Amino acid sequence: MKSFKRKIRFGIIITCGILILITTVSLVLSRYAEKTITKELSALDIHTSQINVNFLNRSVTAQNVFWSDTSAGTSPGDSVGLNKIKVTGIDLYQLLIHKTIRLRRVSLTDGYFRYHRRSPKTNQTQGGKSLPSANITINSIEVSNIEAEIFNDTIREYSGTLNLFIKDIRLADLNKTGAEDYSIGSIETSITNLALTGNESMYNTKISHLYANSSSGKIVVDSISLMPRYSKYRFSRTKGRQMDRFALTIPRLSVSGFDFGLAKDSIYRAMMVEIDNPKLHVYRDKRLPFIKHDVTPLPVAMIRSLPFEMSVDTIKINRATIRYEEFPEKGFRTGYVTFENLNATIDHVSNRDFFTNYNQSTIKVTSAIMGKGTIEAEFSLPYGKDQVYNARGVIKNLSLHRLNPILENAAFISVESGTLNQLNFNFDYDEYKSNGSVLINYEDLKITSLTKEKDSSPNEFKSWLLNTFLKNDKDKDVSKEKRTGVIQFERDRKRAIFNLWVKSLFSGLRSSVLDSPAKKKKK
């Protein structure tokens, strides 16, 4: 019995001795490793207030880490500051024997990141120290609460607070950033208070929250705002020509089925893009000259000109509100037209041959006009070069006096009464012209012509003349031939597609209201 107890005591003493030896060696090696790491970091211009190395749990912790690019000279340099970096699960065997870095987890907590994009000449003169070349495998990287800023020289272009979680990272070389030099299992990121600015930008863009998850293929963006940096009066005058001024808010935008694997090769592929409750205000000041030297491409040509490959199965816009406002060239105040509760679906959008079974994309739109009338329209966007575009639809139940906010200020006419029961339109168009027809059904139309003055008043003679030429009623009791108008419009290739749609529709309206097709052809 006594012999057994002695063996137990001897075993405990030996075990304690081994533990003390391991702890002592670990402490000595830890102090040596801390000095070595501090020296190596200093050689890379990385400074830290404290390094803690623990060989027992195979971890390294650095406090108050700071790095700044000293090669920028007098220009502001890139810099990184972190409150804490912690590395756990270091594979010592792989590190010492095979010179390979394998880590279980890396966390970077509380800090900032500043990066300056510079011109090629500036970048060529910059020096900088190379990072060590090694095969690196990391199970996960977690970035928490990092204030990130990206500058174009000295002008801040992007800023936001970054939270990031990356799994299964493999790097061939820290000095290389090509797509073939690394692989990533999955990324989950959250950016708050994202701001996009710039010295030459006409707009400030802000995003309250952006979330992306590569595993689920989801991107969700909340509270997007695109706001002009100049007032309505100053906006176009900063360029000395007519420009559309946009003010846009989107409470929520979501992308599903996004292929993050293709994104690193500049191929953007998604199943669905959904935009909820956007509000868009467009303003144009037509008192300025219209100066544009290049041709505005049609929609398919426009998306084909993008410098990257993209395809989306379906784009949905839900419950949008659009207000178009313009100051006429010879007017005294702005006029406007609004579209409320606008819903649109766009299918098979692509600038490459992703949808081999479809020869076109289709836009389907429904909306209220000026709060009452409704429009249902369908637009085809053909992918074949020899195909023509088509627009068709119907406008119904519109009290025409609701168009007075645009008619009185842009055309100096006012609708006293009249109801557009139904207007059907169908026309084809290409790069140069549009051809088609409208079929109109209205009743009780009476128009007043206004004097072209700041405080306009009715022009009795012109009002009488207008109402003499216009038919008060063109409803279903009138033959279709007399209610049909011909659409013939030559496109101004410098203007956007919306100009072609509206001008084509109005050419058919003039033909129907002022003339019969037979008379128009005879003239």
Side-chain angles (χ1 to χ4, degrees):
M1 187 70 178
K2 290 182 180 180
S3 176
F4 178 74
K5 289 181 178 180
R6 280 197 298 269
K7 289 180 180 179
I8 293 295
R9 283 196 297 269
F10 181 75
I12 293 173
I13 292 171
I14 294 298
T15 302
C16 291
I18 293 173
L19 290 175
I20 292 171
L21 178 63
I22 292 174
T23 304
T24 302
V25 172
S26 175
L27 289 173
V28 172
L29 291 176
S30 295
R31 299 293 84 79
Y32 174 77
E34 289 168 2
K35 291 181 181 180
T36 303
I37 293 173
T38 301
K39 183 180 178 180
E40 292 295 329
L41 291 178
S42 181
L44 295 170
D45 292 329
I46 300 174
H47 306 283
T48 176
S49 64
Q50 185 178 0
I51 294 284
N52 292 317
V53 177
N54 191 323
F55 275 94
L56 294 177
N57 60 17
R58 297 176 295 128
S59 68
V60 176
T61 303
Q63 303 283 350
N64 301 318
V65 181
F66 173 77
W67 171 83
S68 178
D69 182 9
T70 57
S71 65
T74 57
S75 302
D78 305 333
S79 60
V80 178
L82 296 166
N83 183 49
K84 182 179 179 181
I85 299 177
K86 187 172 183 179
V87 180
T88 60
I90 303 171
D91 193 327
L92 297 175
Y93 175 80
Q94 291 292 334
L95 179 61
L96 297 174
I97 304 301
H98 299 290
K99 306 299 182 183
T100 297
I101 299 174
R102 289 188 179 180
L103 312 173
R104 186 173 69 248
R105 184 170 178 267
V106 177
S107 64
L108 299 83
T109 308
D110 297 331
Y112 66 87
F113 166 80
R114 297 191 181 102
Y115 171 72
H116 295 77
R117 297 194 300 111
R118 299 181 179 86
S119 62
K121 290 184 179 180
T122 305
N123 286 330
Q124 289 173 3
T125 60
Q126 290 180 354
K129 299 177 178 62
S130 297
L131 295 169
S133 178
N135 291 323
I136 301 174
T137 300
I138 306 172
N139 290 355
S140 67
I141 296 178
E142 185 174 353
V143 178
S144 302
N145 197 32
I146 303 298
E147 301 290 337
E149 296 176 299
I150 298 177
F151 294 80
N152 187 350
D153 284 331
T154 59
I155 305 301
R156 186 173 66 181
E157 289 187 322
Y158 307 95
S159 64
T161 302
L162 175 66
N163 291 275
L164 183 65
F165 185 73
I166 311 175
K167 294 181 65 176
D168 300 329
I169 307 101
R170 289 175 174 79
L171 301 173
D173 191 337
L174 288 172
N175 298 293
K176 297 179 180 180
T177 57
E180 70 280 358
D181 298 312
Y182 70 93
S183 65
I184 294 174
S186 65
I187 300 176
E188 185 176 4
T189 183
S190 173
I191 304 175
T192 56
N193 301 320
L194 177 61
L196 290 73
T197 56
N199 191 40
E200 298 182 0
S201 174
M202 300 289 284
Y203 294 91
N204 288 325
T205 304
K206 294 182 179 180
I207 296 173
S208 176
H209 183 237
L210 184 152
Y211 172 81
N213 189 322
S214 65
S215 296
S216 61
K218 285 187 177 181
I219 301 173
V220 179
V221 188
D222 291 325
S223 300
I224 307 169
S225 69
L226 175 74
M227 291 297 155
R229 299 179 63 182
Y230 304 99
S231 66
K232 291 179 181 179
Y233 180 82
R234 290 186 57 204
F235 188 85
S236 296
R237 284 166 177 77
T238 60
K239 300 294 184 181
R241 57 184 174 86
Q242 285 186 36
M243 293 176 62
D244 285 328
R245 176 184 182 272
F246 300 99
L248 172 66
T249 60
I250 302 175
R252 182 180 176 87
L253 182 152
S254 61
V255 181
S256 58
F258 185 81
D259 194 328
F260 285 83
L262 294 175
K264 70 178 184 180
D265 297 319
S266 298
I267 301 174
Y268 302 99
R269 177 82 169 86
M271 299 294 290
M272 170 80 76
V273 175
E274 196 159 5
I275 304 170
D276 294 325
N277 298 300
K279 290 180 172 56
L280 174 64
H281 184 185
V282 184
Y283 175 81
R284 175 173 282 251
D285 193 336
K286 290 193 171 182
R287 293 172 294 181
L288 278 76
F290 178 78
I291 302 173
K292 195 168 188 287
H293 303 292
D294 54 323
V295 172
T296 300
L298 293 177
V300 172
M302 186 176 294
I303 64 172
R304 286 189 185 278
S305 66
L306 296 174
F308 51 83
E309 297 183 20
M310 59 82 68
S311 69
V312 183
D313 289 357
T314 306
I315 300 174
K316 292 185 70 175
I317 301 173
N318 303 318
R319 301 176 299 281
T321 300
I322 300 175
R323 177 186 175 103
Y324 175 78
E325 181 182 6
E326 71 173 40
F327 204 112
E329 180 181 359
K330 297 181 179 180
F332 302 97
R333 56 183 63 86
T334 63
Y336 67 90
V337 61
T338 60
F339 299 87
E340 300 94 357
N341 196 29
L342 185 150
N343 295 280
T345 301
I346 313 171
D347 62 7
H348 307 113
V349 183
S350 175
N351 62 353
R352 301 293 188 272
D353 295 328
F354 283 103
F355 300 110
T356 56
N357 295 328
Y358 300 90
N359 58 8
Q360 67 177 26
S361 174
T362 303
I363 305 174
K364 295 181 179 180
V365 182
T366 63
S367 176
I369 305 175
M370 301 297 283
K372 280 293 182 180
T374 61
I375 179 171
E376 299 174 8
E378 182 175 313
F379 306 91
S380 68
L381 309 179
Y383 289 136
K385 293 183 178 180
D386 298 329
Q387 296 184 32
V388 296
Y389 291 74
N390 177 262
R392 64 181 65 198
V394 58
I395 302 173
K396 298 184 291 186
N397 304 323
L398 176 61
S399 298
L400 294 172
H401 74 275
R402 292 184 175 274
L403 299 177
N404 283 337
I406 188 73
L407 294 176
E408 290 176 351
N409 298 302
F412 291 98
I413 61 173
S414 177
V415 177
E416 291 187 20
S417 65
T419 300
L420 180 62
N421 298 319
Q422 188 164 314
L423 185 152
N424 296 80
F425 61 90
N426 188 343
F427 59 92
D428 296 329
Y429 61 95
D430 56 20
E431 189 76 30
Y432 302 97
K433 63 183 182 302
S434 63
N435 291 284
S437 64
V438 300
L439 177 63
I440 198 167
N441 179 337
Y442 69 86
E443 59 187 2
D444 193 27
L445 178 62
K446 187 175 181 181
I447 293 177
T448 298
S449 177
L450 304 175
T451 58
K452 295 182 179 181
E453 302 168 342
K454 188 172 184 179
D455 297 319
S456 58
S457 58
N459 185 316
E460 300 294 340
F461 176 72
K462 286 187 176 180
S463 298
W464 171 81
L465 198 61
L466 272 174
N467 288 292
T468 299
F469 280 99
L470 295 176
K471 300 295 183 181
N472 287 28
D473 299 289
K474 275 195 174 183
D475 55 18
K476 60 184 180 180
D477 294 330
V478 179
S479 66
K480 283 188 177 182
E481 182 183 1
K482 293 183 178 181
R483 291 189 287 121
T484 300
V486 175
I487 293 176
Q488 290 180 343
F489 178 71
E490 292 186 11
R491 181 194 175 214
D492 183 345
R493 299 179 67 208
K494 295 180 181 179
R495 295 187 182 272
I497 186 64
F498 303 104
N499 179 267
L500 172 64
W501 290 344
V502 173
K503 293 294 180 67
S504 297
L505 188 58
F506 272 102
S507 75
L509 281 173
R510 284 194 298 269
S511 172
S512 176
V513 174
L514 298 178
D515 251 330
S516 69
K519 290 181 180 178
K520 183 179 181 69
K521 187 175 180 181
K522 186 177 179 180
K523 282 187 178 182

